[in-house]
Amino acid sequence: MDEQLLKAMGLWPLWVPKDQETEVVTLSEPAASHEPSIASVHVASPFGFTESTPDVETPAAKPVISASAKAGLAAALAAARGGSSSLRHAPEKPATHVALPEAQQPPVQAEAPAPVSLVTKPVTPANDNWDDLTREIHQCRACTLCDSRTQAVPGIGDVQAEWMFIGEAPGAEEDRLGEPFVGTAGKLLDNMLAAMQLKRGDNVYIGNVLKCRPPGNRDPQPAEVAACRHFLTRQIALVQPKILVALGRFAANTLLNTDSTLASLRGTVHHVEGIPLIVTYHPAYLLRNLPDKAKAWQDLCLAMKTLQQTKH
Ligand code: URA
């Protein structure tokens, strides 16, 4: 890939193209006390960071399990363990919505409706499965985002993945194509995955907290999250990943039921219903704040090390 293009995408020099020489990037910034310490990061092809996991000091286990997240997920996880899905990939989505130019879209109500009563039909967890879940997401009208979406964006990838990455909400490209992280931020996410020797769809499932695009990519509103979060809970229960990676503060706060800063959540192995959760920056943020890619790499190293530890 062209160096200029990589620079424009914010992938240079930390995520480097295949034909670049191996180099060592020394992190000059001292790790904060709550962050894993990495003396140096070896950058090698393809797109860097292919050396064995750097020496990350995993902080003392500080499990953070939110009670309310735990309750919903416990039921769904128990149910999913009882059931089975032969699907390796998420099923095809029915195309149920016609794209409207933004100008023709109906205005979004200032106040989203109360979540509980408007959530789509309650599902008996024991009967949950991908077909039902995907259909419900596409048919969901639990908040006003259904009025402005082109289509809902359920998630994509390997439904038996060890890795689950969770972002915020679909953007314009995702709304158009029906797949998470396909815009510019998605390209960076793909490069982050490649740096971990992972790739979309292969041992990786990618989803969002919200399944529908907030108009103009505004921040999700609490009522929208409340209406939508059960879908994510069910996706986690069905995939049963070995590790969760929250991309950005919004995903982290939703999963952990907190309103802490991203800085305070990084560098710690959290747990959601027994599944380790690592918090890192959202790729869209990294595109605007290139130096923080080094810190993101620390987080991804902590995630790789944490997953390794679960296997021993
Ligand atoms: N940002 C997100 O959080 N999710 C997407 O799917 C795309 C951009």
Side-chain angles (χ1 to χ4, degrees), residues 167-171 174 180-181 208 282:
E168 181 173 316
E174 291 77 17
F181 283 101
N208 281 310
H282 193 286

Side-chain angles (χ1 to χ4, degrees), residues 70 78 110 157 190 229 266:
K70 193 172 172 177
D190 285 339
R229 65 183 300 157
R266 287 185 56 245

Side-chain angles (χ1 to χ4, degrees), residues 145-204:
L145 296 183
C146 63
D147 295 327
S148 53
R149 72 185 174 206
T150 303
Q151 59 190 313
V153 182
I156 193 80
D158 183 345
V159 298
Q160 297 174 334
E162 290 181 319
W163 289 89
M164 190 159 173
F165 290 78
I166 298 163
E168 181 173 316
E173 279 299 282
E174 291 77 17
D175 174 73
R176 191 171 69 80
L177 298 172
E179 180 173 336
F181 283 101
V182 288
T184 321
K187 291 195 170 42
L188 179 53
L189 177 58
D190 285 339
N191 283 282
M192 292 161 73
L193 293 176
M196 303 165 77
Q197 302 192 319
L198 294 170
K199 71 173 189 237
R200 179 185 293 252
D202 185 1
N203 203 22
V204 172

